[in-house]
Amino acid sequence: DPARESSLGVYFGADKTGFPAVSFSIYRVADISKAGEYNLTDAFAGYAVSFGDLDSSGWRALAQTLEAYAARDALTPLLTQATGQDGWVHFTGLTPGLYLVSGGQHAAGSTLYTPEPMLVSLPGLDENGNWNYDTEASCKFDMRETPAEPVSRKVQKVWKDQGSQGQRPAEISVQLLENGTVVDTVTLNSRNNWEYS
C-alpha cells in the first residue's frame, strides 16, 4: 500500500552499547509502486543510478554513491534526528519508498566509529515474507583508531572498459570530502597516470 504510513528505527552502537547524540539524516531516494518498482524522486532523478540486478555489495556501493552525491550537492534531507541514550533514532510518519540513511560519527577515546550509509525500503519484508511497515535496521560501521598525525589518501581511476578504450574521457575530476565538505578537487588523466595522492 503506497499510501500507508511507515516508520524506520535505526540503531547505532557496538558491544551492546548504543551511541547517544549521533545525528542521522534520511533522504527519500525513490517512490515505490504497488508492484514494488522504484522510481527516483526529483532530488535524485538527475543521477545516473540503477536498481537492477544488485546484490548486497551492489546495494552497499549504491548507498555510498548516493551519500557522496547528497553531500557534494548539499541535498536537503527529509528528516534529521539524533540517537537517544540507547543508540536508537526513530523516524515516523514516512511514506513507503526507498530511503538513504546517513549518520554522523561517534568518538570514544581514540576510537572513531563511522556508520556506513544504507538504503532501506519501506515497507520491508519480515522473516515470514509479509510486508512490515515499521522497519528497524542496525548500522554497520567502520571502526578506526584516530591517528595523531595527518594521513595521506590516494585516488586511482581503474578502467574496466575492455574494447571501449576509445570512448574514455580525456580527464575526470575527483573531489575529496571532509565531514561532507569538499576540501580538494584534482583532475586525473593519462599525464598523472590516472592517480593522485
Side-chain angles (χ1 to χ4, degrees):
D1 180 0
R4 183 169 167 182
E5 189 173 289
S6 301
S7 68
L8 173 61
V10 177
Y11 176 75
F12 183 33
D15 300 322
K16 299 182 180 179
T17 301
F19 300 146
V22 178
S23 179
F24 274 84
S25 296
I26 61 170
Y27 301 81
R28 187 174 166 77
V29 173
D31 298 317
I32 188 168
S33 70
K34 285 187 177 184
E37 298 170 342
Y38 295 123
N39 296 306
L40 291 171
T41 59
D42 290 344
F44 288 88
Y47 302 122
V49 297
S50 171
F51 303 116
D53 298 325
L54 294 177
D55 58 10
S56 60
S57 63
W59 282 105
R60 182 179 177 189
L62 180 57
Q64 292 169 341
T65 299
L66 292 174
E67 182 186 52
Y69 284 147
R72 182 194 69 187
D73 297 339
L75 298 183
T76 303
L78 177 67
L79 293 169
T80 299
Q81 294 176 198
T83 55
Q85 291 298 316
D86 59 356
W88 281 95
V89 60
H90 296 277
F91 299 98
T92 59
L94 303 175
T95 304
L98 184 67
Y99 290 85
L100 170 66
V101 179
S102 178
Q105 296 176 321
H106 174 75
S110 63
T111 305
L112 187 65
Y113 298 85
T114 305
E116 292 183 5
M118 61 182 160
L119 288 165
V120 179
S121 181
L122 297 178
L125 289 174
D126 65 19
E127 60 276 359
N128 298 319
N130 299 316
W131 292 114
N132 180 8
Y133 289 84
D134 300 307
T135 300
E136 292 184 341
S138 183
C139 290
K140 292 183 179 180
F141 55 84
D142 179 49
M143 183 176 73
R144 294 189 183 177
E145 294 300 314
T146 52
E149 300 296 322
V151 295
S152 295
R153 293 291 180 251
K154 180 178 180 178
V155 61
Q156 179 182 41
K157 172 62 179 158
V158 178
W159 294 98
K160 294 185 179 181
D161 60 351
Q162 192 170 13
S164 303
Q165 292 91 334
Q167 297 178 7
R168 291 180 184 172
E171 60 187 31
I172 63 169
S173 293
V174 179
Q175 295 176 325
L176 176 67
L177 279 70
E178 179 182 19
N179 299 324
T181 303
V182 176
V183 295
D184 196 9
T185 301
V186 64
T187 299
L188 302 183
N189 51 42
S190 58
R191 291 185 301 281
N192 57 20
N193 202 28
W194 301 96
E195 61 185 29
Y196 183 81
S197 293

